[in-house]
Amino acid sequence: MEALIREDESALSGAPQRWDAINWRRVERNVRAMQIRIAKATQEGDWRRVKALQRSLTRSWSAKASAVRRVTENQGKRTAGVDRELWDSPEVRWEAIGRLKSRGYRPLPLRRVFIPKANGKKRPLGIPTMLDRAMQALYLLALEPVSEGTSDPNSYGFRANRSTADAMSQLFLNLSRKASAQWILEADIKGCFDHISHDWLERNVPMDKAILRKWLKAGVVFQGQFQATEAGTPQGGIISPTLANVALNGLERQLVESLQEKLGVAKTKRLKVNVVRYADDFVITGSTPEVLENEVKPWVEQFLAVRGLTLSTEKTRIVNIADGFDFLGWNFRKYSEKLLIKPSKKNVQTFYRKVKEVISKHKTARQEKLIHLLNPMLRGWAQYHSPVVAKAAFTRLEHEVFKALWRWARRRHMKKDADWITKKYFASVGDRNWVFGTAVAKDAGDEGWVELYSLAGTPIRRHTKIKGDYHPFDPAQELYGETLRQERLHYSMSHRKQWIKLYMSQQGLCALCECKMTDETGWHDHHIQYRMHGRSDALGNRVLLHPNCHVQVHNHGLTVMKPASSH
């Protein structure tokens, strides 16, 4: 057997002695090289080699550094676990790399918090400590190449470069034709994350069993009381979504294989059974309600029961496409044989309540601040729905938001008439009237203009679905993966065309560490020569950096140059 990758890096040539000196480009290359080897061994079915390579990866310095970087640069970096410890300095992060060891490792209980759900109930989250998060991120690096190689082709949740829009596009392909399936099993798993069998996970998840068991049995602390965990994988852990995906992998492939064994290949094809899954939400199409009720649903229930899961009797139903169904915030329905996908009424209402809540909580805020609070919400919601038939929903909701803002303005100036309020808070911009906006002072003393994001002005863009057989750790698909990543980033940056130009000129890499910028890592717009010194705001004086790299540049007075490919 070929030699394992050993990388004791005092590892990296140049042996870094502090966090800020780490060559992240090399770290990223080392980790990816090992992940590619794990994926290749998985495809070959060489499980002994997979296990050996995983062990090598989780012991490598590069993987440990990458894991620490991930948990200290993501959105949860300011949320502590039960030990109240945060890794918020370069010195602590450097020390943390050396703490990621399996020998003697004992995870602490999760800190239980509850967040509100759309239906008014609360969703439990378990917050691990920073050390436990980093250990999960480390072992996830070794698990993902295996889980990707064994995933169903139409599973889209919590996987690289896959999104809800891909799931929507696949359903469009399954349901839009005249000869497409007319019946849909809307399935809802009852408390998926809370009830997955620990025994099943320990037997079937291809990772270190001892470490996995420690995480599953760590327990939770709520209001000072310890509670044991006998089932489930906690929502809040970095590795939890992948564990849930592993548990549900096979739902698509095994269902079709089972039907083919029982009914034959030709008859199974005529049944038009297609599965589309996003995490624990999935729908299954079928040619008749009988095949879904008598063949598909019992098989799914048995598949789930082995994993300790059950379908919710209240939320699981079989519907005709003419009546429509909701999935991932969209409503799918055929009108006179034409399939239209629109934002669901429930999704629109939930979002409008959130907007009204923000407006209500900021009765005395300056108009500029309120716009800055609302714009990311409005833009994010509109971009989510921009691949579907959403123009009418955008226009209706924009009118409702206008009415809420009008009430906000009237409440502030009860003694003023409507004309005065209109002139103060609204303006005409181009061919648009009643634009909620205001003039603001800029750094140089001149005035700029900020306005509320226009929902109705959001362009409708057809989404290009990812290939079903895309494997992020297959070197042959590297170029396709890069293309996908850049397309998704363009989408995120669509409201700032200058960012797109900078991103393209930097080939999607941070100008400091030269590692990839993604939606998960985020990015900051940095001025090479500072504006406070009177320097230009032109693109030639700007680069995109990872948020943490941006902090390093300012804290240590580092100089960033325009990449060689920039113009």
Side-chain angles (χ1 to χ4, degrees):
M1 180 172 132
E2 65 183 275
L4 299 180
I5 302 171
R6 295 190 181 219
E7 204 203 344
D8 155 25
E9 290 147 292
S10 3
L12 304 167
S13 65
Q17 299 300 317
R18 66 181 197 279
W19 180 262
D20 296 341
I22 295 173
N23 182 334
W24 289 112
R25 186 79 184 273
R26 186 169 294 178
V27 164
E28 194 175 83
R29 279 203 306 265
N30 288 338
V31 171
R32 180 155 181 83
M34 287 187 271
Q35 288 180 313
I36 287 171
R37 293 177 70 180
I38 293 170
K40 186 171 183 288
T42 301
Q43 289 173 335
E44 294 169 354
D46 189 347
W47 296 106
R48 186 176 176 182
R49 186 159 164 259
V50 166
K51 191 174 180 180
L53 288 168
Q54 284 183 316
R55 188 185 302 116
S56 179
L57 175 57
T58 54
R59 291 178 179 178
S60 75
W61 189 92
S62 283
K64 291 177 181 180
S66 181
V68 173
R69 190 186 199 197
R70 174 171 180 175
V71 301
T72 55
E73 293 186 8
N74 64 13
Q75 290 184 339
K77 64 185 177 183
R78 295 187 184 90
T79 306
V82 292
D83 62 355
R84 299 293 173 184
E85 182 181 338
L86 290 177
W87 294 348
D88 51 6
S89 73
E91 294 76 21
V92 172
R93 293 173 187 178
W94 177 257
E95 183 188 328
I97 297 173
R99 292 173 61 189
L100 301 187
K101 296 175 181 176
S102 58
R103 181 173 293 178
Y105 169 66
R106 293 190 66 82
L108 291 174
L110 305 161
R111 182 165 68 89
R112 172 70 83 217
V113 297
F114 290 87
I115 60 171
K117 293 170 66 175
N119 60 8
K121 296 181 181 179
K122 292 195 172 181
R123 184 192 307 278
L125 286 185
I127 310 297
T129 64
M130 292 299 294
L131 177 61
D132 295 334
R133 264 177 264 177
M135 285 293 282
Q136 288 190 19
L138 174 62
Y139 280 84
L140 181 59
L141 289 172
L143 176 60
E144 272 187 322
V146 186
S147 66
E148 282 292 335
T150 55
S151 290
D152 290 325
N154 291 305
S155 158
Y156 297 100
F158 303 109
R159 295 179 61 193
N161 288 327
R162 292 175 184 248
S163 66
T164 51
D166 291 312
M168 176 272 296
S169 298
Q170 181 60 36
L171 268 176
F172 182 84
L173 292 174
N174 292 342
L175 297 168
S176 59
R177 301 182 187 91
K178 194 170 184 178
S180 296
Q182 298 295 304
W183 296 90
I184 296 93
L185 171 65
E186 260 192 286
D188 185 272
I189 300 175
K190 194 172 181 179
C192 178
F193 282 87
D194 297 327
H195 296 109
I196 298 177
S197 164
H198 284 181
D199 289 340
W200 190 93
L201 288 172
E202 287 176 41
R203 287 195 309 270
N204 293 279
V205 176
M207 65 167 286
D208 187 306
K209 311 296 181 188
I211 295 289
L212 176 60
R213 182 171 179 79
K214 286 177 182 179
W215 287 334
L216 296 175
K217 301 298 183 185
V220 298
V221 171
F222 180 59
Q223 295 181 340
Q225 297 293 314
F226 175 81
Q227 302 167 5
T229 45
E230 300 303 327
T233 174
Q235 295 186 63
I238 284 177
I239 204 169
S240 293
T242 303
L243 293 180
N245 266 341
V246 171
L248 295 175
N249 278 342
L251 180 65
E252 179 181 355
R253 281 196 177 100
Q254 292 175 31
L255 171 58
V256 173
E257 288 170 4
S258 173
L259 290 172
Q260 287 174 347
E261 283 179 20
K262 185 175 180 180
L263 306 170
V265 175
K267 189 172 181 183
T268 299
K269 195 171 182 180
R270 289 197 297 272
L271 297 180
K272 300 171 185 174
V273 173
N274 297 288
V275 181
V276 176
R277 178 168 70 85
Y278 188 91
D280 59 333
D281 292 329
F282 63 95
V283 294
I284 304 177
T285 67
S287 58
T288 65
E290 289 78 21
V291 72
L292 293 175
E293 184 66 52
N294 302 327
E295 299 289 346
V296 173
K297 189 178 174 186
W299 186 92
V300 170
E301 288 173 334
Q302 186 179 357
F303 175 89
L304 295 176
V306 174
R307 293 152 175 76
L309 302 171
T310 56
L311 289 175
S312 166
T313 52
E314 305 86 34
K315 297 180 182 178
T316 299
R317 62 194 189 119
I318 296 171
V319 297
N320 190 281
I321 190 61
D323 298 321
F325 66 96
D326 290 351
F327 184 59
L328 302 176
W330 292 301
N331 179 260
F332 297 73
R333 186 177 172 187
K334 266 191 175 176
Y335 300 81
S336 302
E337 296 300 319
K338 183 170 184 178
L339 179 69
L340 295 183
I341 306 171
K342 304 177 182 179
S344 70
K345 288 181 181 177
K346 181 181 176 183
N347 183 275
V348 174
Q349 289 167 357
T350 301
F351 178 70
Y352 177 56
R353 281 198 298 270
K354 288 180 182 176
V355 171
K356 273 209 311 185
E357 188 178 336
V358 169
I359 294 172
S360 178
K361 282 183 177 178
H362 295 86
K363 293 184 178 73
T364 60
R366 289 166 50 210
Q367 186 181 6
E368 178 189 352
K369 182 182 179 184
L370 184 60
I371 290 172
H372 284 313
L373 287 169
L374 291 175
N375 273 359
M377 295 173 62
L378 296 170
R379 185 182 297 112
W381 185 82
Q383 286 187 343
Y384 182 86
H385 291 293
S386 64
V388 302
V389 184
K391 213 65 174 176
F394 288 165
T395 303
R396 281 197 306 271
L397 188 58
E398 184 163 286
H399 183 62
E400 293 301 318
V401 172
F402 162 76
K403 290 195 293 185
L405 290 171
W406 180 260
R407 291 191 294 271
W408 174 87
R410 289 297 298 263
R411 193 184 296 117
R412 292 160 70 93
H413 307 283
M414 293 183 179
K415 295 182 180 178
K416 300 292 185 181
D417 60 24
D419 284 344
W420 187 92
I421 292 171
T422 301
K423 288 175 183 175
K424 181 168 178 62
Y425 291 106
F426 298 90
S428 294
V429 178
D431 58 353
R432 294 165 54 219
N433 298 318
W434 295 96
V435 176
F436 188 72
T438 183
V440 294
K442 293 176 77 175
D443 293 346
D446 54 343
E447 282 196 343
W449 172 262
V450 295
E451 64 183 54
L452 194 71
Y453 178 83
S454 171
L455 291 173
T458 305
I460 302 298
R461 293 193 182 96
R462 185 78 177 267
H463 178 76
T464 304
K465 192 187 86 69
I466 193 171
K467 294 176 184 175
D469 63 352
Y470 169 65
H471 193 316
F473 301 104
D474 182 353
Q477 300 192 50
E478 185 87 30
L479 182 60
Y480 178 66
E482 281 298 305
T483 303
L484 283 173
R485 183 173 66 87
Q486 292 189 15
E487 285 175 356
R488 305 290 155 96
L489 260 293
H490 276 204
Y491 191 63
S492 301
M493 296 175 173
S494 59
H495 63 292
R496 294 288 295 271
K497 288 185 172 57
Q498 291 187 339
W499 283 355
I500 294 176
K501 289 180 181 177
L502 289 173
Y503 178 85
M504 293 302 293
S505 71
Q506 294 174 209
Q507 298 181 336
L509 304 178
C510 169
L512 182 68
C513 71
E514 297 185 331
C515 291
K516 295 173 184 175
M517 290 181 292
T518 65
D519 274 328
E520 186 177 0
T521 65
W523 57 85
H524 281 178
D525 189 347
H526 171 70
H527 287 72
I528 299 170
Q529 299 291 329
Y530 297 162
R531 279 185 299 172
M532 68 175 66
H533 298 151
R535 298 300 183 177
S536 167
D537 197 38
L539 289 179
N541 188 42
R542 290 156 59 191
V543 290
L544 295 181
L545 302 171
H546 287 131
N548 193 58
C549 292
H550 198 196
V551 171
Q552 286 187 37
V553 167
H554 284 278
N555 286 353
H556 301 288
L558 303 178
T559 301
V560 181
M561 304 295 291
K562 291 289 284 186
S565 57
S566 296
H567 300 290

